[in-house]
Amino acid sequence: MMMNQGQYPGMSGQFPGMQGQQPGFQMQPIVCPTQYRYNDCFSPQEIPYIHPIVNVNRHNVVGVPQHYYTETTQDVMGSMIMPGRGPSHGHGHGHGHGMWGGGGCGRRRGCCR
């Protein structure tokens, strides 16, 4: 790159440091590496953030007591009762145990509840 008489393009005088040079001698300029001056500008840019949500319906089993009763009937041999003597004639409890006599409770199953 040739310069006209020590003039730098865009400048209206000689290069600095060339004052007092002899009129017939001209120094060539040294071109330094280009420097970049950045002017940063910022513009907002939306970035989507996706948050997946899973709704879980948990079905929990809760034990609730449910009472069931089984019932059986047993036939057992009781004490012997002599004719004319009911259990209430002396040694009974007065509850009418047995099939006959003595003012039973009238219940079909188990008198003494």
Side-chain angles (χ1 to χ4, degrees):
M1 173 167 166
M2 292 292 295
M3 297 287 159
N4 292 339
Q5 299 172 348
Q7 295 292 320
Y8 185 78
M11 294 183 67
S12 60
Q14 290 185 338
F15 288 107
M18 293 188 65
Q19 295 86 3
Q21 294 288 330
Q22 295 179 0
F25 180 76
Q26 182 175 351
M27 293 185 63
Q28 293 296 318
I30 299 172
V31 179
C32 296
T34 303
Q35 295 182 1
Y36 293 90
R37 186 178 291 167
Y38 292 95
N39 296 313
D40 290 329
C41 298
F42 297 93
S43 299
Q45 174 68 41
E46 187 174 294
I47 299 173
Y49 280 76
I50 299 172
H51 299 270
I53 296 174
V54 175
N55 293 311
V56 177
N57 296 323
R58 295 194 301 188
H59 297 270
N60 300 297
V61 176
V62 178
V64 177
Q66 180 66 39
H67 299 278
Y68 295 95
Y69 297 95
T70 60
E71 188 173 321
T72 59
T73 301
Q74 294 181 351
D75 290 325
V76 296
M77 182 61 93
S79 60
M80 180 175 271
I81 301 172
M82 298 303 286
R85 299 183 94 205
S88 59
H89 289 107
H91 60 277
H93 296 292
H95 292 292
H97 293 284
M99 290 176 64
W100 298 282
C105 63
R107 293 186 191 167
R108 186 169 172 219
R109 293 185 200 109
C111 245
C112 302
R113 286 190 201 183

